[in-house]
Amino acid sequence: MERTTMMDKAWVPQQEPGLPWAAAEYELLRDQVRRFVEEEIKPCADRWEEAGGIPRPVLRRMGELGFFGIRYPAEYGGAEMDAVASTVFAEELGRSTYGGAADAMLVQAEMASSYVFHDGTKSQRARWMPGIVSGEVITAIAITEPDAGSDVKAIRTRARRDGDSYVLDGTKLYITNGVCADLYCVAAKTDAAAGSNGITMFLVEKGTPGFSVARELDKLGWRSSDTAELVFEGCRIPAENVLGAEGQGFYSIMRNLQNERLVLAAMAIGMAEAAIDMTLTYVKTRRAFGGVLWDLQAIRQRLAMLAARVEASRALLYATAWRMAADDDCMREISMLKALCGELVNEVVYACVQFHGAMGVMRESPIERVARDARILSIAGGATEVMLDVVASMS
């Protein structure tokens, strides 16, 4: 029996009150992304895993198809859609089973670029957004440091005003697209004594004197995206490169993290769905004990329960995306989603590895890669423990 899921149906309302997009538009987007995954990601991504990154022509192709402008205005080449469309996009990239490629693409489409759009001046947006949407300008977000991950206030990178410039000094770590990016959104402290009001965001271009990629990092998973350590040593940038208001960077980060966490949850759901699908195919054909593994009740019931939990989480995901599209305050629900989906995808893929037996830990098996790629989804964008504390503080 072939598995069907909600994602195969135009299940959203035909027209949500107050929202411009009907179900058909989202399903057209889903079909387009799914075709791209099947035709241009899956046949090539094993090579990207070996190379440690996605070729630039692929990213430009995504720009041509409109994938980097889903939420952005038409004046920059965007489609002016909403959070539901971003969720569809991220879910389908997650279903590709190549977590590194999905992450690099989402950083460009939904994470780093959102700082430029939401916090940039009119002239900054006019300069950078068309190239970002077209895939000509690749972006990265540089917040995390050796001693500061989810604890954003603990960053040590400094930026001091010097005439009509700022001078940056510090180190950033675990930066996705850190090697290939053309434009970096960098968090630095402009007032060490001001706490949350002492962090400012800056735009730093590749090639700026004093800025370098110190090293490309070797990872357990997400191997088809590049991850880097960045160093700023007397890096002088013009004052006009401040992104948003000075001292308001912490609040910018908190706002933009909501969308980042939404799409990471969607990516996790897509990856969990794909893992269950490939495991169903395997257990229905793998012979053991005079039949196939699917004949064993313990395996059938375990997969059925995991599928039920994925579908339930997916329902919360899309309900929250609708709320975000309607400009509701849903920080609590997004934090729940990030914790729930990041943990669930790991539970799903490890069960799927178990049901693949020895084949599940062979590099030739896709489920082995999925298990490695899923692991970081409970860490990136806000660790599970941090997310649960956010939920508890709002309860």
Side-chain angles (χ1 to χ4, degrees):
M1 182 176 65
E2 185 175 351
R3 176 175 178 255
T4 59
T5 70
M6 288 172 57
M7 60 144 248
D8 295 313
K9 305 171 186 176
W11 61 272
V12 292
Q14 289 302 303
Q15 187 72 54
E16 184 78 1
L19 296 176
W21 298 95
E25 281 78 13
Y26 298 117
E27 295 311 308
L28 285 172
L29 174 63
R30 187 183 300 284
D31 290 343
Q32 185 183 27
V33 180
R34 193 172 296 182
R35 284 196 305 272
F36 181 82
V37 167
E38 292 298 324
E39 296 172 6
E40 303 196 43
I41 294 182
K42 287 185 176 180
C44 306
D46 284 339
R47 295 196 297 274
W48 306 346
E49 292 274 303
E50 293 296 324
I54 305 169
R56 293 293 287 250
V58 175
L59 298 173
R60 287 194 291 270
R61 175 63 176 152
M62 294 187 74
E64 292 172 4
L65 292 171
F67 295 148
F68 294 151
I70 290 173
R71 301 271 288 279
Y72 299 133
E75 66 181 292
Y76 305 130
E80 300 186 358
M81 294 185 78
D82 57 25
V84 179
S86 294
T87 302
V88 169
F89 177 58
E91 182 185 11
E92 289 302 316
L93 289 182
R95 285 183 61 84
S96 75
T97 76
Y98 289 92
D103 176 58
M105 295 165 179
L106 288 171
V107 167
Q108 174 73 5
E110 301 286 343
M111 300 180 196
S113 58
S114 68
Y115 287 83
V116 181
F117 177 69
H118 291 296
D119 300 309
T121 63
K122 184 176 180 180
S123 62
Q124 287 171 337
R125 290 195 297 270
R127 179 182 177 187
W128 294 112
M129 287 305 301
I132 291 170
V133 171
S134 71
E136 294 292 333
V137 175
I138 304 304
T139 56
I141 173 68
I143 300 171
T144 304
E145 298 182 2
D147 295 318
S150 297
D151 185 5
V152 174
K153 289 187 232 182
I155 66 171
R156 296 181 180 180
T157 297
R158 297 286 189 264
R160 60 179 176 83
R161 185 71 183 252
D162 184 17
D164 59 357
S165 301
Y166 283 84
V167 180
L168 274 63
D169 289 282
T171 300
K172 298 294 180 179
L173 197 60
Y174 314 132
I175 308 305
T176 298
N177 293 350
V179 176
C180 72
D182 305 295
L183 183 68
Y184 299 77
C185 303
V186 181
K189 280 190 175 176
T190 44
D191 185 347
S196 299
N197 294 314
I199 296 174
T200 304
M201 297 297 297
F202 297 89
L203 290 173
V204 181
E205 297 179 57
K206 175 173 281 186
T208 300
F211 166 51
S212 63
V213 176
R215 59 190 173 117
E216 186 170 359
L217 303 172
D218 195 10
K219 308 186 297 295
L220 169 73
W222 283 12
R223 299 190 66 84
S224 47
S225 65
D226 75 68
T227 306
E229 178 182 9
L230 311 178
V231 174
F232 301 88
E233 296 178 309
C235 177
R236 183 176 294 272
I237 58 173
E240 64 191 36
N241 282 27
V242 169
L243 189 55
E246 181 174 326
Q248 295 301 296
F250 177 82
Y251 305 101
S252 169
I253 292 166
M254 293 302 106
R255 286 193 304 271
N256 284 291
L257 275 174
Q258 300 313 300
N259 189 64
E260 179 173 338
R261 289 164 179 167
L262 178 75
V263 297
L264 284 171
M267 176 181 162
I269 289 296
M271 189 172 288
E273 290 172 331
I276 290 174
D277 286 346
M278 69 174 66
T279 303
L280 282 173
T281 299
Y282 184 80
V283 300
K284 289 179 180 181
T285 56
R286 175 67 164 89
R287 299 202 62 80
F289 305 106
V292 294
L293 291 176
W294 182 249
D295 296 334
L296 302 176
Q297 185 183 58
I299 291 178
R300 292 198 308 271
Q301 291 188 354
R302 177 69 171 145
L303 285 171
M305 179 56 76
L306 290 172
R309 290 170 61 196
V310 170
E311 295 289 7
S313 299
R314 188 172 185 268
L316 176 60
L317 170 70
Y318 276 93
T320 304
W322 277 116
R323 288 188 56 195
M324 180 178 276
D327 292 326
D328 285 353
D329 181 2
C330 44
M331 179 185 291
R332 179 172 175 268
E333 290 75 12
I334 287 174
S335 300
M336 287 179 172
L337 273 170
K338 178 61 179 60
L340 174 66
C341 297
E343 294 296 321
L344 179 58
V345 68
N346 277 280
E347 185 177 350
V348 167
V349 298
Y350 270 77
C352 291
V353 168
Q354 182 74 15
F355 295 151
H356 277 76
M359 180 56 73
V361 296
M362 297 295 112
R363 282 296 176 99
E364 65 188 87
S365 174
I367 197 66
E368 181 271 343
R369 181 189 64 252
V370 174
R372 287 186 287 107
D373 284 354
R375 186 63 193 89
I376 198 172
L377 284 166
S378 62
I379 300 171
T384 296
E385 295 77 12
V386 176
M387 296 297 91
L388 293 176
D389 263 353
V390 171
V391 174
S393 71
M394 302 181 73
S395 299

